[in-house]
Amino acid sequence: MLNSIIVLFNMKREEIESFQTSRTSDEVIISIKLYRQFKNCVDCESSNVTIHGYKIRVINHSALDNIKCTIHYNARRFKCKDCKKTFFEDNSFVSDRQRISKYTVIKVLRELKIPNYTFANVAKNTGLSKTAVINIFDQYVEYSRRSLPEYLCIDEVYYSRHAREKYNCVLYDFRKNEIVDIIE
């Protein structure tokens, strides 16, 4: 199991100080602690740094299909004796101030490339909320919006009595005689 986790997190065996897995009926929990990496202060580059304490960071990880996977990462917090700045140690599976693993972010972005997948589909597949998936999309995907035409016509059209929304909003370019967008 440890070898699988090392490959999954792109780590080396000598980086891991302690490692445990446990399983409930609906979740796999991976508890991990890394060996201390000697590091300078992120602010002033001083080497006068001490361990300020530990914090368990709970991280959503979607490496396993059909079962929730959570990492309980025992993260060291350092304090610089010169500038008094505190900061966490670096690791390979989660970015600073994040609660979603790097692997999960990549999985979300890959699934969003599939043309018929919605934010809700991806949220269900990764164990995240729809809002979290939208936030990942907004953070990592840049897209340019089309500019609005000089004259924009707006009208509603009856769509279907069987649809959730019976009417749709139509945005129409008056000069080019073409539809700009249809909004539910």
Side-chain angles (χ1 to χ4, degrees):
M1 179 72 167
L2 179 58
N3 289 335
S4 301
I5 298 301
I6 290 170
V7 170
L8 193 62
F9 293 149
N10 194 24
M11 299 177 75
K12 296 177 185 132
R13 184 180 291 276
E14 52 271 8
E15 290 178 286
I16 301 172
E17 183 176 327
S18 66
F19 172 85
Q20 288 181 316
T21 60
S22 59
R23 181 171 179 170
T24 64
S25 61
D26 62 341
E27 180 178 20
V28 171
I29 299 171
I30 300 170
S31 300
I32 192 166
K33 182 179 180 183
L34 304 177
Y35 281 113
R36 179 180 177 181
Q37 301 168 7
F38 293 95
K39 179 177 174 175
N40 291 342
C41 176
V42 294
D43 225 20
C44 70
E45 295 294 321
S46 168
S47 61
N48 194 8
V49 174
T50 60
I51 296 175
H52 187 59
Y54 293 86
K55 180 180 180 185
I56 301 291
R57 293 181 62 190
V58 179
I59 302 160
N60 292 326
H61 192 64
S62 63
L64 306 173
D65 288 334
N66 303 322
I67 189 162
K68 183 179 179 184
C69 181
T70 306
I71 301 169
H72 290 200
Y73 167 46
N74 193 2
R76 279 183 193 82
R77 188 151 182 84
F78 295 105
K79 183 172 186 176
C80 177
K81 289 184 175 181
D82 296 334
C83 71
K84 309 298 184 222
K85 170 102 174 149
T86 61
F87 53 95
F88 282 106
E89 68 185 340
D90 291 332
N91 65 76
S92 62
F93 44 90
V94 70
S95 299
D96 198 25
R97 295 187 179 98
Q98 296 292 317
R99 293 177 8 153
I100 300 170
S101 70
K102 292 176 183 177
Y103 176 84
T104 303
V105 170
I106 291 168
K107 186 174 181 179
V108 164
L109 295 173
R110 279 190 185 140
E111 288 193 8
L112 286 172
K113 286 182 178 180
I114 300 170
N116 59 343
Y117 269 38
T118 64
F119 290 129
N121 294 131
V122 175
K124 184 178 178 188
N125 292 346
T126 56
L128 299 174
S129 69
K130 185 175 158 186
T131 305
V133 171
I134 291 169
N135 289 340
I136 290 170
F137 179 82
D138 288 342
Q139 182 178 358
Y140 292 97
V141 178
E142 285 190 32
Y143 57 94
S144 58
R145 296 189 183 269
R146 292 178 27 189
S147 59
L148 290 174
E150 185 178 359
Y151 296 103
L152 180 68
C153 300
I154 302 173
D155 198 5
E156 77 277 349
V157 233
Y158 182 74
Y159 177 64
S160 169
R161 65 184 174 103
H162 301 292
R164 192 181 80 209
E165 302 292 331
K166 291 185 180 6
Y167 291 90
N168 285 341
C169 176
V170 177
L171 304 177
Y172 188 79
D173 184 341
F174 183 74
R175 289 213 185 221
K176 292 183 181 177
N177 291 328
E178 59 184 35
I179 294 175
V180 175
D181 202 354
I182 298 175
I183 305 168
E184 189 177 293

